[in-house]
Amino acid sequence: MILPAGFGLPPLPYLLALAAGTVAAIGALYVRRPPVTAATVTALAPWMAAGGALYALYQAGAVPDPAAPLFGSPAVYVTVGILAGFVWALLAERPGESWRPTEASTILAAVGCSLLTVALIAAAVTRTSNAVGARALLSGAILLVSLVGGTLIWITLRRVTDVSATGTVGAVVVFGHTLDGVSTAVGYGMLGFGEQTPLSRLVIEAGGALPVPELLGGAWLFVLVKTVLGAAIVVLFEEYVREEPTEGCLLLGLIAAVGLGPGFHNVVLFAIS
């Protein structure tokens, strides 16, 4: 298996609705042509986190049945992506309008933060375990450790090489993959959660098989791989982003989503289950 456990398409009516929504959102973006900068792509980070949080609510059974198929995996990321696309298109700068790119990015991020806040409030009122309070503290600790670790890695990268062209998107990539690595390791090694992605599970099993003191059930190797991978991607994309800023920032944004979405999914799921 290559795909993660739980990966599946929603029923046909929901699938068609998502396809239509995707086409409409892409069409709106094509017509409005919003500027693609490091700031606008970074503004999508709360949306990525919200997608992960909403998927955790789905797994905890906290999503109403009529809407549940839109919040499974990978449907939830398409659902959130459609909403983000329409908001981004509405905020696009056009001749004669007063919006400036910086203002649009701020509002785009604020709407994404609002969606994330709603998801977190829903998670806070969801109770599936008596240990939810302790788990919530652990999730907060994971976020803090990941933020500190990601910041140190980013500062180190800035000192040893030139990654300035990647800007804040590069920092989000580093943090997102650090969060995914740390949260996966804690969930696997301390909380008894299994790893859904086969390739990630192979890395964890390889860590457990190495002749070193056991740490987090071998998941320490996954943390190392994810943090090194995030940093390496930023370094490798530096020249590409400098030469093709639009394409480079968008691709880096997609790579950030692969870490940030699952990372936030983990910490929210740990807190409510």
Side-chain angles (χ1 to χ4, degrees), residues 35-47:
V36 178
T37 64
T40 53
V41 176
T42 301
L44 295 172
W47 295 86

Side-chain angles (χ1 to χ4, degrees), residues 122-141:
V125 300
T126 298
R127 297 290 186 269
T128 60
S129 170
N130 292 329
V132 68
R135 291 283 184 87
L137 290 176
L138 181 59
S139 292

Side-chain angles (χ1 to χ4, degrees), residues 89-262:
L90 287 172
L91 294 173
E93 183 183 30
R94 300 288 290 174
E97 295 183 359
S98 59
W99 293 119
R100 290 178 298 180
T102 53
E103 294 173 334
S105 298
T106 301
I107 296 174
L108 180 62
V111 177
C113 287
S114 298
L115 179 62
L116 177 59
T117 300
V118 170
L120 294 179
I121 291 174
V125 300
T126 298
R127 297 290 186 269
T128 60
S129 170
N130 292 329
V132 68
R135 291 283 184 87
L137 290 176
L138 181 59
S139 292
I142 292 171
L143 283 170
L144 179 60
V145 169
S146 301
L147 180 60
V148 172
T151 300
L152 291 175
I153 294 170
W154 179 247
I155 291 173
T156 301
L157 284 178
R158 293 293 300 268
R159 288 183 177 274
V160 302
T161 187
D162 182 14
V163 291
S164 58
T166 63
T168 49
V169 184
V172 173
V173 170
V174 170
F175 169 67
H177 284 270
T178 302
L179 176 62
D180 187 24
V182 173
S183 61
T184 297
V186 172
Y188 185 90
M190 295 177 61
L191 302 179
F193 282 82
E195 173 50 44
Q196 293 184 319
T197 306
L199 181 59
S200 300
R201 189 162 56 245
L202 288 175
V203 173
I204 293 172
E205 292 173 355
L210 292 174
V212 296
E214 184 172 315
L215 179 63
L216 295 174
W220 63 270
L221 182 61
F222 185 73
V223 179
L224 179 62
V225 169
K226 289 291 288 186
T227 52
V228 171
L229 180 63
I233 287 172
V234 172
V235 173
L236 292 174
F237 266 71
E238 161 67 21
E239 184 176 353
Y240 180 43
V241 175
R242 193 177 296 278
E243 295 178 354
E244 300 288 343
T246 298
E247 294 179 8
C249 283
L250 282 176
L251 283 176
L252 270 184
L254 289 174
I255 293 169
V258 172
L260 196 56

